[in-house]
Amino acid sequence: MNTLTFPILKLLADGKFHSGEAIAKHFNVSRTTIWNALQHAAKLEIAVFSVRGRGYKLPQAFTLLDEQAILSAIGEQRAWFNLEVHDHLESTNTYLMKKLSSGQAHASCVAANLQTNGRGRRGRSWQAGLGASLTFSLLWRFQCGASALSGLSLAVGVALMRTLHSVGITQAQLKWPNDVLIGREKLAGILIELQGDMEGPSAAVIGIGINLNLPTNIKQQIDQPATDLASASSRTMNPNELLGALLKHLTQILNNFEQQGFAEVRDEWIKHHAYHQQPVKMLHPDGRETLGTVIDVAEDGILLVRTAQGDQRFSSGEISLRASE
Ligand code: ATP
Protein backbone atom coordinates (compact mmCIF):
# COMPACT_ATOMS: atom_id res chain seq x y z
CA MET A 1 0.00 0.00 0.00
CA ASN A 2 1.36 3.42 -0.97
CA THR A 3 0.83 5.65 2.07
CA LEU A 4 0.49 8.81 -0.03
CA THR A 5 -2.25 7.54 -2.35
CA PHE A 6 -5.24 8.32 -0.14
CA PRO A 7 -3.94 11.66 1.19
CA ILE A 8 -3.54 12.77 -2.46
CA LEU A 9 -6.99 11.46 -3.40
CA LYS A 10 -8.45 13.45 -0.49
CA LEU A 11 -6.81 16.57 -1.90
CA LEU A 12 -8.33 15.76 -5.30
CA ALA A 13 -11.81 15.13 -3.83
CA ASP A 14 -12.81 18.69 -4.76
CA GLY A 15 -12.92 17.53 -8.40
CA LYS A 16 -10.61 20.35 -9.50
CA PHE A 17 -7.23 20.26 -11.24
CA HIS A 18 -4.18 20.20 -8.96
CA SER A 19 -0.77 20.51 -10.56
CA GLY A 20 1.80 17.81 -9.84
CA GLU A 21 4.09 20.55 -8.59
CA ALA A 22 1.51 21.92 -6.11
CA ILE A 23 0.69 18.44 -4.79
CA ALA A 24 4.40 17.61 -4.45
CA LYS A 25 4.95 20.85 -2.55
CA HIS A 26 1.94 20.18 -0.30
CA PHE A 27 3.34 16.79 0.78
CA ASN A 28 6.97 17.89 0.60
CA VAL A 29 7.93 15.10 -1.82
CA SER A 30 9.02 14.90 -5.46
CA ARG A 31 6.64 14.92 -8.44
CA THR A 32 7.79 11.39 -9.26
CA THR A 33 6.65 10.28 -5.80
CA ILE A 34 3.21 11.79 -6.53
CA TRP A 35 3.09 10.04 -9.90
CA ASN A 36 3.99 6.70 -8.25
CA ALA A 37 1.30 7.15 -5.60
CA LEU A 38 -1.30 7.81 -8.30
CA GLN A 39 -0.18 4.71 -10.20
CA HIS A 40 -1.33 2.82 -7.12
CA ALA A 41 -4.74 4.53 -7.42
CA ALA A 42 -4.96 3.19 -10.97
CA LYS A 43 -4.32 -0.33 -9.64
CA LEU A 44 -7.33 0.17 -7.34
CA GLU A 45 -9.34 1.09 -10.48
CA ILE A 46 -9.69 4.73 -9.39
CA ALA A 47 -9.73 6.97 -12.46
CA VAL A 48 -7.45 9.99 -12.11
CA PHE A 49 -7.18 12.25 -15.16
CA SER A 50 -3.70 13.55 -15.87
CA VAL A 51 -3.54 16.49 -18.30
CA ARG A 52 -0.23 17.97 -19.38
CA GLY A 53 0.13 21.54 -18.15
CA ARG A 54 -2.89 21.31 -15.81
CA GLY A 55 -2.16 18.42 -13.48
CA TYR A 56 -4.33 15.76 -11.91
CA LYS A 57 -8.10 15.65 -11.45
CA LEU A 58 -10.78 13.16 -10.44
CA PRO A 59 -13.74 12.74 -12.83
CA GLN A 60 -16.02 14.42 -10.28
CA ALA A 61 -15.99 15.95 -6.80
CA PHE A 62 -17.14 13.76 -3.93
CA THR A 63 -17.58 13.93 -0.15
CA LEU A 64 -15.29 11.74 1.92
CA LEU A 65 -16.55 9.85 4.93
CA ASP A 66 -15.72 11.72 8.09
CA GLU A 67 -16.06 10.33 11.60
CA GLN A 68 -17.13 13.60 13.23
CA ALA A 69 -19.67 14.38 10.52
CA ILE A 70 -21.19 10.89 10.86
CA LEU A 71 -21.37 11.16 14.67
CA SER A 72 -23.02 14.54 14.48
CA ALA A 73 -25.56 13.20 11.96
CA ILE A 74 -26.38 10.37 14.41
CA GLY A 75 -27.17 13.00 17.05
CA GLU A 76 -28.10 11.99 20.60
CA GLN A 77 -27.47 8.28 20.08
CA ARG A 78 -23.88 8.81 18.96
CA ALA A 79 -22.46 7.48 22.25
CA TRP A 80 -23.93 4.06 21.46
CA PHE A 81 -21.68 3.51 18.51
CA ASN A 82 -18.10 2.46 18.18
CA LEU A 83 -17.33 3.98 14.80
CA GLU A 84 -14.32 3.35 12.54
CA VAL A 85 -13.83 5.03 9.17
CA HIS A 86 -11.23 3.48 6.86
CA ASP A 87 -9.83 4.81 3.62
CA HIS A 88 -9.66 1.37 2.09
CA LEU A 89 -10.86 -2.08 3.12
CA GLU A 90 -11.38 -5.17 1.03
CA SER A 91 -14.72 -5.85 2.72
CA THR A 92 -16.25 -4.15 5.76
CA ASN A 93 -18.14 -7.40 6.56
CA THR A 94 -14.98 -9.53 6.41
CA TYR A 95 -13.20 -7.00 8.63
CA LEU A 96 -15.92 -7.09 11.32
CA MET A 97 -16.44 -10.86 11.09
CA LYS A 98 -12.73 -11.33 11.88
CA LYS A 99 -13.05 -9.05 14.93
CA LEU A 100 -16.24 -10.68 16.16
CA SER A 101 -14.60 -13.64 17.86
CA SER A 102 -12.11 -11.41 19.70
CA GLY A 103 -14.96 -9.64 21.50
CA GLN A 104 -15.54 -6.60 19.28
CA ALA A 105 -18.10 -4.32 20.94
CA HIS A 106 -21.83 -4.31 20.25
CA ALA A 107 -22.86 -1.51 17.83
CA SER A 108 -19.46 -1.32 16.15
CA CYS A 109 -19.78 0.33 12.77
CA VAL A 110 -17.04 0.14 10.16
CA ALA A 111 -17.27 2.23 7.01
CA ALA A 112 -14.83 2.44 4.12
CA ASN A 113 -14.33 5.16 1.54
CA LEU A 114 -13.21 2.44 -0.82
CA GLN A 115 -14.21 -1.22 -0.60
CA THR A 116 -12.44 -3.36 -3.19
CA ASN A 117 -13.66 -6.88 -2.51
CA GLY A 118 -17.24 -6.45 -1.31
CA ARG A 119 -19.34 -9.59 -1.06
CA GLY A 120 -22.95 -10.45 -1.87
CA ARG A 121 -24.83 -13.59 -0.93
CA ARG A 122 -23.45 -17.04 -1.82
CA GLY A 123 -20.00 -15.90 -2.93
CA ARG A 124 -21.24 -13.16 -5.28
CA SER A 125 -19.44 -9.83 -5.34
CA TRP A 126 -20.54 -6.27 -4.58
CA GLN A 127 -19.04 -3.55 -6.78
CA ALA A 128 -18.12 -0.22 -5.23
CA GLY A 129 -15.86 2.73 -5.95
CA LEU A 130 -14.35 5.78 -4.30
CA GLY A 131 -17.09 8.42 -4.02
CA ALA A 132 -19.41 6.07 -5.93
CA SER A 133 -20.86 4.11 -3.02
CA LEU A 134 -21.59 4.09 0.67
CA THR A 135 -20.28 0.82 2.10
CA PHE A 136 -20.38 -0.08 5.77
CA SER A 137 -21.07 -2.88 8.25
CA LEU A 138 -22.65 -2.85 11.69
CA LEU A 139 -22.06 -5.46 14.36
CA TRP A 140 -25.10 -6.09 16.54
CA ARG A 141 -25.21 -8.53 19.45
CA PHE A 142 -28.48 -10.24 20.44
CA GLN A 143 -29.47 -12.08 23.60
CA CYS A 144 -31.69 -14.35 21.51
CA GLY A 145 -30.28 -17.26 19.52
CA ALA A 146 -29.40 -17.24 15.82
CA SER A 147 -32.59 -19.27 15.15
CA ALA A 148 -34.67 -16.23 16.17
CA LEU A 149 -32.90 -13.99 13.62
CA SER A 150 -34.51 -15.46 10.48
CA GLY A 151 -36.39 -12.28 9.51
CA LEU A 152 -33.54 -9.95 10.41
CA SER A 153 -32.42 -9.14 6.88
CA LEU A 154 -35.98 -8.13 5.97
CA ALA A 155 -36.22 -5.89 9.04
CA VAL A 156 -32.95 -4.20 8.01
CA GLY A 157 -34.57 -3.49 4.63
CA VAL A 158 -37.26 -1.53 6.45
CA ALA A 159 -34.58 0.61 8.15
CA LEU A 160 -33.16 1.35 4.70
CA MET A 161 -36.59 2.32 3.36
CA ARG A 162 -37.25 4.65 6.30
CA THR A 163 -33.89 6.31 5.74
CA LEU A 164 -34.39 6.69 1.99
CA HIS A 165 -37.83 8.21 2.59
CA SER A 166 -36.32 10.65 5.09
CA VAL A 167 -33.99 11.97 2.37
CA GLY A 168 -36.75 12.23 -0.22
CA ILE A 169 -36.23 8.93 -2.11
CA THR A 170 -39.83 7.76 -1.96
CA GLN A 171 -39.80 5.64 -5.11
CA ALA A 172 -37.50 2.93 -3.69
CA GLN A 173 -38.94 -0.54 -3.08
CA LEU A 174 -37.80 -3.79 -1.51
CA LYS A 175 -37.22 -7.08 -3.27
CA TRP A 176 -37.42 -10.20 -1.11
CA PRO A 177 -35.38 -10.97 0.82
CA ASN A 178 -33.42 -7.78 1.11
CA ASP A 179 -32.51 -5.82 -1.99
CA VAL A 180 -33.53 -2.21 -2.56
CA LEU A 181 -34.74 -1.36 -6.06
CA ILE A 182 -35.84 1.68 -7.99
CA GLY A 183 -38.02 0.37 -10.78
CA ARG A 184 -36.30 -2.86 -11.77
CA GLU A 185 -32.80 -1.53 -10.98
CA LYS A 186 -30.85 -2.34 -7.86
CA LEU A 187 -29.91 0.60 -5.66
CA ALA A 188 -28.65 -1.12 -2.51
CA GLY A 189 -27.82 -4.55 -1.15
CA ILE A 190 -27.69 -6.08 2.31
CA LEU A 191 -25.49 -8.96 3.42
CA ILE A 192 -26.03 -10.38 6.91
CA GLU A 193 -23.63 -12.87 8.46
CA LEU A 194 -24.47 -14.53 11.76
CA GLN A 195 -22.44 -16.05 14.53
CA GLY A 196 -23.45 -17.75 17.75
CA ASP A 197 -25.56 -20.58 19.12
CA MET A 198 -29.00 -21.37 17.81
CA GLU A 199 -30.30 -20.78 21.36
CA GLY A 200 -28.23 -17.65 22.10
CA PRO A 201 -26.52 -15.32 22.54
CA SER A 202 -25.79 -14.46 18.92
CA ALA A 203 -24.31 -11.67 16.80
CA ALA A 204 -24.96 -10.32 13.33
CA VAL A 205 -22.66 -8.41 11.02
CA ILE A 206 -24.97 -6.35 8.84
CA GLY A 207 -23.28 -5.14 5.65
CA ILE A 208 -24.94 -2.49 3.49
CA GLY A 209 -23.87 -1.09 0.14
CA ILE A 210 -25.75 1.85 -1.39
CA ASN A 211 -24.89 3.25 -4.80
CA LEU A 212 -24.33 7.00 -4.61
CA ASN A 213 -23.03 7.84 -8.05
CA LEU A 214 -21.78 4.88 -10.06
CA PRO A 215 -19.39 5.63 -12.93
CA THR A 216 -19.89 3.69 -16.17
CA ASN A 217 -16.88 1.43 -15.62
CA ILE A 218 -18.37 0.11 -12.35
CA LYS A 219 -21.89 -0.22 -13.78
CA GLN A 220 -20.46 -2.33 -16.59
CA GLN A 221 -19.09 -4.81 -14.07
CA ILE A 222 -22.54 -5.45 -12.57
CA ASP A 223 -24.44 -8.29 -14.19
CA GLN A 224 -27.93 -6.96 -13.43
CA PRO A 225 -29.56 -3.53 -13.88
CA ALA A 226 -28.24 -1.11 -11.24
CA THR A 227 -29.00 2.48 -10.34
CA ASP A 228 -27.73 5.12 -7.91
CA LEU A 229 -29.00 7.97 -5.75
CA ALA A 230 -27.58 10.55 -8.16
CA SER A 231 -29.99 9.26 -10.83
CA ALA A 232 -32.90 9.08 -8.39
CA SER A 233 -32.68 12.55 -6.90
CA SER A 234 -31.71 16.05 -7.95
CA ARG A 235 -30.32 16.56 -4.44
CA THR A 236 -26.66 15.60 -3.86
CA MET A 237 -26.53 13.03 -1.07
CA ASN A 238 -23.98 13.60 1.63
CA PRO A 239 -22.73 10.11 2.61
CA ASN A 240 -22.02 11.18 6.20
CA GLU A 241 -25.60 12.38 6.70
CA LEU A 242 -26.94 9.30 4.99
CA LEU A 243 -24.90 6.97 7.20
CA GLY A 244 -25.87 8.89 10.35
CA ALA A 245 -29.57 8.64 9.43
CA LEU A 246 -29.22 4.94 8.61
CA LEU A 247 -27.59 4.17 11.95
CA LYS A 248 -30.42 5.93 13.79
CA HIS A 249 -33.08 3.97 11.91
CA LEU A 250 -31.14 0.72 12.28
CA THR A 251 -30.86 1.21 16.06
CA GLN A 252 -34.61 1.56 16.37
CA ILE A 253 -35.34 -1.44 14.15
CA LEU A 254 -32.72 -3.69 15.77
CA ASN A 255 -33.77 -2.86 19.34
CA ASN A 256 -37.38 -3.69 18.49
CA PHE A 257 -36.31 -6.80 16.60
CA GLU A 258 -34.75 -8.23 19.75
CA GLN A 259 -38.15 -7.92 21.52
CA GLN A 260 -40.65 -8.62 18.75
CA GLY A 261 -38.81 -10.06 15.75
CA PHE A 262 -39.77 -9.24 12.16
CA ALA A 263 -43.51 -9.34 13.03
CA GLU A 264 -43.39 -5.75 14.25
CA VAL A 265 -42.42 -4.34 10.83
CA ARG A 266 -43.96 -7.02 8.61
CA ASP A 267 -46.87 -4.85 7.38
CA GLU A 268 -44.47 -2.00 6.60
CA TRP A 269 -42.21 -4.43 4.71
CA ILE A 270 -45.12 -5.78 2.63
CA LYS A 271 -46.18 -2.23 1.76
CA HIS A 272 -42.75 -1.65 0.23
CA HIS A 273 -42.41 -5.00 -1.56
CA ALA A 274 -42.02 -4.47 -5.30
CA TYR A 275 -43.45 -7.93 -6.02
CA HIS A 276 -46.36 -8.18 -3.58
CA GLN A 277 -49.11 -10.11 -5.39
CA GLN A 278 -47.00 -10.00 -8.55
CA PRO A 279 -45.97 -12.90 -10.82
CA VAL A 280 -42.41 -13.98 -10.08
CA LYS A 281 -39.94 -16.75 -10.74
CA MET A 282 -37.97 -18.28 -7.91
CA LEU A 283 -34.46 -19.41 -8.87
CA HIS A 284 -33.15 -22.54 -7.13
CA PRO A 285 -29.42 -23.15 -6.63
CA ASP A 286 -29.53 -26.17 -9.01
CA GLY A 287 -30.86 -23.95 -11.84
CA ARG A 288 -34.53 -24.97 -11.52
CA GLU A 289 -37.15 -22.22 -11.65
CA THR A 290 -40.53 -22.12 -9.91
CA LEU A 291 -43.15 -19.77 -11.37
CA GLY A 292 -45.89 -18.31 -9.22
CA THR A 293 -47.46 -15.25 -7.62
CA VAL A 294 -46.28 -13.75 -4.33
CA ILE A 295 -49.09 -13.94 -1.81
CA ASP A 296 -47.50 -13.05 1.49
CA VAL A 297 -44.45 -12.93 3.70
CA ALA A 298 -44.62 -14.75 7.03
CA GLU A 299 -43.55 -13.47 10.45
CA ASP A 300 -40.25 -15.35 10.15
CA GLY A 301 -39.47 -13.76 6.74
CA ILE A 302 -40.49 -16.79 4.66
CA LEU A 303 -42.04 -15.90 1.28
CA LEU A 304 -45.32 -17.54 0.32
CA VAL A 305 -45.81 -18.09 -3.39
CA ARG A 306 -48.89 -19.52 -5.13
CA THR A 307 -47.73 -21.97 -7.80
CA ALA A 308 -49.42 -24.46 -10.12
CA GLN A 309 -48.44 -27.13 -7.58
CA GLY A 310 -50.07 -25.25 -4.68
CA ASP A 311 -48.78 -22.70 -2.18
CA GLN A 312 -45.05 -22.97 -1.49
CA ARG A 313 -42.86 -21.46 1.22
CA PHE A 314 -39.40 -20.16 0.36
CA SER A 315 -36.71 -19.32 2.89
CA SER A 316 -34.08 -16.84 1.79
CA GLY A 317 -30.96 -18.98 2.21
CA GLU A 318 -30.61 -20.49 -1.25
CA ILE A 319 -33.34 -18.88 -3.31
CA SER A 320 -33.41 -15.74 -5.48
CA LEU A 321 -36.56 -13.97 -6.62
CA ARG A 322 -36.81 -12.48 -10.09
CA ALA A 323 -39.59 -10.71 -11.97
CA SER A 324 -41.52 -13.09 -14.19
CA GLU A 325 -41.14 -11.86 -17.78
P1 ATP B 1 -30.74 -12.24 -4.57
O1 ATP B 1 -32.08 -11.97 -5.17
O2 ATP B 1 -30.46 -13.68 -4.35
O3 ATP B 1 -30.43 -11.38 -3.39
P2 ATP B 1 -28.71 -10.87 -6.10
O4 ATP B 1 -28.23 -11.34 -7.44
O5 ATP B 1 -29.23 -9.50 -6.00
O6 ATP B 1 -29.78 -11.92 -5.74
P3 ATP B 1 -26.88 -10.41 -3.86
O7 ATP B 1 -25.98 -11.40 -3.24
O8 ATP B 1 -27.94 -9.78 -3.01
O9 ATP B 1 -27.52 -11.11 -5.10
O10 ATP B 1 -25.99 -9.23 -4.47
C1 ATP B 1 -24.90 -9.51 -5.31
C2 ATP B 1 -25.30 -9.20 -6.73
O11 ATP B 1 -25.68 -7.82 -6.84
C3 ATP B 1 -24.15 -9.34 -7.73
O12 ATP B 1 -24.08 -10.65 -8.19
C4 ATP B 1 -24.52 -8.35 -8.82
O13 ATP B 1 -25.45 -8.91 -9.72
C5 ATP B 1 -25.25 -7.27 -8.08
N1 ATP B 1 -24.37 -6.12 -7.74
C6 ATP B 1 -23.05 -6.10 -7.43
N2 ATP B 1 -22.64 -4.87 -7.14
C7 ATP B 1 -23.74 -4.07 -7.28
C8 ATP B 1 -23.95 -2.68 -7.13
N3 ATP B 1 -22.99 -1.85 -6.74
N4 ATP B 1 -25.20 -2.23 -7.38
C9 ATP B 1 -26.21 -3.05 -7.74
N5 ATP B 1 -26.05 -4.37 -7.89
C10 ATP B 1 -24.84 -4.88 -7.66
Side-chain angles (χ1 to χ4, degrees):
M1 183 64 174
N2 188 309
T3 50
L4 261 185
T5 305
F6 269 92
I8 300 171
L9 291 170
K10 286 175 182 172
L11 203 68
L12 297 179
D14 61 7
K16 296 182 178 151
F17 272 110
H18 292 257
S19 73
E21 196 182 343
I23 305 173
K25 202 167 163 199
H26 182 89
F27 291 107
N28 202 14
V29 295
S30 71
R31 285 170 65 172
T32 315
T33 306
I34 299 299
W35 187 84
N36 281 333
L38 289 176
Q39 288 304 299
H40 184 72
K43 283 191 198 136
L44 294 172
E45 294 189 40
I46 299 167
V48 182
F49 299 143
S50 164
V51 177
R52 194 180 285 274
R54 297 197 70 186
Y56 299 102
K57 179 190 179 309
L58 291 176
Q60 55 210 2
F62 70 95
T63 305
L64 284 150
L65 290 174
D66 175 83
E67 216 166 297
Q68 285 315 314
I70 298 165
L71 289 172
S72 97
I74 298 172
E76 279 173 14
Q77 289 162 342
R78 73 177 73 183
W80 278 54
F81 291 94
N82 172 20
L83 177 67
E84 284 179 33
V85 173
H86 292 252
D87 286 334
H88 173 208
L89 282 179
E90 292 205 345
S91 152
T92 55
N93 253 47
T94 304
Y95 178 88
L96 266 184
M97 283 303 283
K98 277 191 192 144
K99 296 227 160 187
L100 193 55
S101 35
S102 50
Q104 181 78 10
H106 170 70
S108 290
C109 173
V110 172
N113 278 307
L114 176 65
Q115 176 176 261
T116 44
N117 200 10
R119 295 182 286 117
R121 305 199 305 144
R122 305 201 290 282
R124 293 187 287 237
S125 61
W126 184 260
Q127 307 295 335
L130 187 69
S133 336
L134 173 62
T135 49
F136 72 97
S137 299
L138 175 66
L139 186 166
W140 207 262
R141 294 186 181 276
F142 295 90
Q143 292 308 313
C144 61
S147 58
L149 301 181
S150 59
L152 179 65
S153 65
L154 283 81
V156 168
V158 173
L160 258 163
M161 294 304 292
R162 288 182 184 173
T163 308
L164 290 169
H165 275 242
S166 75
V167 296
I169 309 289
T170 51
Q171 67 276 49
Q173 289 184 296
L174 293 166
K175 177 177 81 79
W176 183 89
N178 55 13
D179 288 344
V180 179
L181 307 178
I182 291 184
R184 293 274 166 100
E185 300 175 327
K186 190 157 160 179
L187 173 75
I190 299 166
L191 173 71
I192 298 195
E193 297 180 286
L194 301 178
Q195 202 183 68
D197 295 334
M198 290 315 267
E199 298 310 319
S202 56
V205 171
I206 300 163
I208 296 182
I210 303 178
N211 300 324
L212 300 173
N213 191 1
L214 289 181
T216 318
N217 68 318
I218 295 186
K219 257 193 174 171
Q220 281 167 348
Q221 290 171 33
I222 304 173
D223 58 4
Q224 59 175 299
T227 189
D228 53 22
L229 290 176
S231 315
S233 167
S234 51
R235 170 176 161 194
T236 307
M237 292 296 157
N238 179 312
N240 298 304
E241 287 169 13
L242 192 62
L243 179 50
L246 260 163
L247 290 173
K248 276 198 285 196
H249 286 292
L250 278 165
T251 306
Q252 197 182 14
I253 289 272
L254 295 169
N255 283 336
N256 288 344
F257 188 91
E258 173 100 59
Q259 309 302 321
Q260 299 163 60
F262 171 59
E264 213 243 338
V265 290
R266 175 173 161 261
D267 288 348
E268 191 175 345
W269 191 93
I270 290 173
K271 196 178 81 190
H272 292 306
H273 191 206
Y275 295 99
H276 188 58
Q277 294 178 345
Q278 298 294 311
V280 293
K281 63 181 173 206
M282 307 302 290
L283 309 181
H284 299 255
D286 59 6
R288 273 182 312 123
E289 292 182 0
T290 303
L291 295 176
T293 301
V294 172
I295 48 174
D296 207 355
V297 62
E299 291 196 348
D300 53 2
I302 283 182
L303 190 76
L304 304 174
V305 178
R306 185 147 295 160
T307 74
Q309 289 74 43
D311 292 354
Q312 293 190 30
R313 297 163 59 80
F314 294 98
S315 73
S316 63
E318 293 291 311
I319 300 277
S320 294
L321 179 156
R322 292 290 180 268
S324 165
E325 300 316 328

